[in-house]
Amino acid sequence: ETGVTQSPTHLIKTRGQQVTLRCSSQSGHNTVSWYQQALGQGPQFIFQYYREEENGRGNFPPRFSGLQFPNYSSELNVNALELDDSALYLCASSLGSGGSYNEQFFGPGTRLTVL
Amino acid sequence: KNQVEQSPQSLIILEGKNCTLQCNYTVSPFSNLRWYKQDTGRGPVSLTIMTFSENTKSNGRYTATLDADTKQSSLHITASQLSDSASYICVVSVIGQGGKLIFGQGTELSVKP
């Protein structure tokens, strides 16, 4: 176990709805990164939060947004859900911002299904 | 375009045998390269991390190599076990892009008794 937890484990929503996914980082880590993993594909970087500020973003539309709290836990919010948003959403925590040698520890993921 | 490509897409081997997985990348500027193991429905777990100056890194029965000139990496698994059945993902970190990791699509390894 990596010490990174995510909730909920599974979620079913309908198109157009909004969803909030949560991640608790490993103790002592100040950075959280979010990834979307479609079935049979590698994870795609959504964004990273470092000390409560967005520190980098992948090619995802603005309806994907996030927050990081003072305790370094994080939320991923997705508005106006689309069928293609169905995926495993992974969060990873690390000490220090990325592009560096710092190892990222992944949570078990949240499986989102959009009907 | 920054890309990471892995081969083969899937692999079946017998327990006890060795295997080698390949990774080619076009990511620049390059910070480091990582290999992860991902069990079905779980988050990836790091096996090795290498900077451009490192040629090889071992973690038990896993040995990763890196050739930064040809932009190729390999992961060698020795004396495979049934528990090695998983997806193995090559990941490259980009300098200066705020923690962005670029993942390959993974190699699905199945170890049979």
Side-chain angles (χ1 to χ4, degrees):
Chain A
E1 298 301 324
T2 63
V4 180
T5 61
Q6 293 187 242
S7 63
T9 53
H10 294 87
L11 199 54
I12 299 175
K13 291 285 189 178
T14 57
R15 200 169 44 179
Q17 285 189 311
Q18 178 266 343
V19 67
T20 297
L21 310 182
R22 295 179 175 83
C23 172
S24 291
S25 57
Q26 190 178 103
S27 178
H29 285 181
N30 54 16
T31 303
V32 173
S33 304
W34 285 93
Y35 298 86
Q36 179 195 67
Q37 186 175 23
L39 202 60
Q41 301 294 317
Q44 298 284 319
F45 176 71
I46 302 175
F47 44 56
Q48 181 186 82
Y49 279 84
Y50 172 61
R51 294 184 175 179
E52 302 179 59
E53 297 285 334
E54 187 177 294
N55 186 46
R57 191 179 181 93
N59 296 324
F60 281 81
R63 59 189 185 84
F64 286 78
S65 63
L67 280 175
Q68 187 178 32
F69 301 99
N71 67 355
Y72 301 130
S73 66
S74 179
E75 286 182 356
L76 164 65
N77 298 291
V78 186
N79 294 322
L81 285 168
E82 301 176 358
L83 297 179
D84 285 348
D85 295 334
S86 295
L88 181 69
Y89 287 84
L90 297 164
C91 82
S93 79
S94 58
L95 181 61
S97 60
S100 63
Y101 202 75
N102 295 324
E103 186 171 349
Q104 296 193 14
F105 294 86
F106 284 82
T110 293
R111 171 70 64 186
L112 172 64
T113 302
V114 182
L115 302 176
Chain B
K1 182 181 177 183
N2 287 330
Q3 283 189 313
V4 178
E5 296 191 353
Q6 294 185 240
S7 62
Q9 201 167 23
S10 62
L11 186 61
I12 300 174
I13 62 173
L14 293 176
E15 187 179 12
K17 297 296 186 183
N18 304 335
C19 66
T20 300
L21 313 180
Q22 301 291 341
C23 173
N24 296 325
Y25 63 93
T26 59
V27 176
S28 180
F30 166 87
S31 174
N32 56 72
L33 185 144
R34 312 163 186 222
W35 282 92
Y36 282 88
K37 178 186 180 186
Q38 185 175 24
D39 292 312
T40 302
R42 308 296 302 273
V45 175
S46 178
L47 296 174
T48 62
I49 302 177
M50 292 182 291
T51 65
F52 66 90
S53 62
E54 296 178 284
N55 299 121
T56 185
K57 182 74 69 80
S58 290
N59 178 3
R61 295 181 296 103
Y62 302 102
T63 299
T65 65
L66 174 63
D67 185 334
D69 291 330
T70 61
K71 297 188 176 181
Q72 295 180 325
S73 176
S74 66
L75 179 69
H76 186 73
I77 304 174
T78 304
S80 60
Q81 301 175 358
L82 298 179
S83 59
D84 291 334
S85 295
S87 179
Y88 291 84
I89 308 177
C90 175
V91 185
V92 179
S93 176
V94 185
I95 291 176
Q97 292 196 22
K100 184 175 183 178
L101 296 181
I102 300 177
F103 288 72
Q105 80 279 19
T107 291
E108 193 69 36
L109 175 65
S110 180
V111 181
K112 302 293 188 185

